[in-house]
Amino acid sequence: MKMNLKFTNNGKLAIQLFTNEELLEIFNRYMNTLTKKYDIEVTIPVDWNQSIAEDGSLKVVLANVKCEVEVFFKELGRDIKVPLKKRQGGKLDTVFKLEKME
């Protein structure tokens, strides 16, 4: 299953402060941590995510999904705020919205 994490306006402002490589590393790290808690496999195809900040979205592939996808990404959204807020230095609401890709 292919999913698109579409950044909100506040999320777009926050991710502008990072390089593409930093964003890939941050999302991979937080997703890997959450997959220990949730029964799901998530991969981030690097070739689909060459310019995350410019595109305003992060594309991921889900496999072996045996949990509530929305719950997984809701928790990811909460967790991912930590490094984004540190660099931004302010309050940050919802970072991204989840969209299913065809």
Side-chain angles (χ1 to χ4, degrees), residues 61-80:
V61 178
L62 309 180
N64 299 321
V65 179
K66 296 178 184 136
C67 69
E68 291 291 327
V69 172
E70 293 79 15
V71 174
F72 175 83
F73 283 104
K74 186 175 184 179
E75 188 162 341
L76 176 66
R78 281 194 307 264
D79 292 351
I80 209 74

Side-chain angles (χ1 to χ4, degrees), residues 27-89:
F27 274 91
N28 265 316
R29 186 175 348 121
Y30 280 88
M31 284 184 194
N32 286 340
T33 300
L34 284 177
T35 57
K36 294 173 185 169
K37 180 178 176 181
Y38 294 93
D39 198 3
I40 188 171
E41 292 176 25
V42 184
T43 54
I44 303 173
V46 176
D47 55 324
W48 293 1
N49 295 289
Q50 293 296 312
S51 53
I52 298 166
E54 188 177 304
D55 295 342
S57 67
L58 178 78
K59 294 156 192 76
V60 298
V61 178
L62 309 180
N64 299 321
V65 179
K66 296 178 184 136
C67 69
E68 291 291 327
V69 172
E70 293 79 15
V71 174
F72 175 83
F73 283 104
K74 186 175 184 179
E75 188 162 341
L76 176 66
R78 281 194 307 264
D79 292 351
I80 209 74
K81 284 184 198 179
V82 174
L84 298 181
K85 284 193 318 191
K86 279 184 183 175
R87 180 129 346 149
Q88 186 184 29

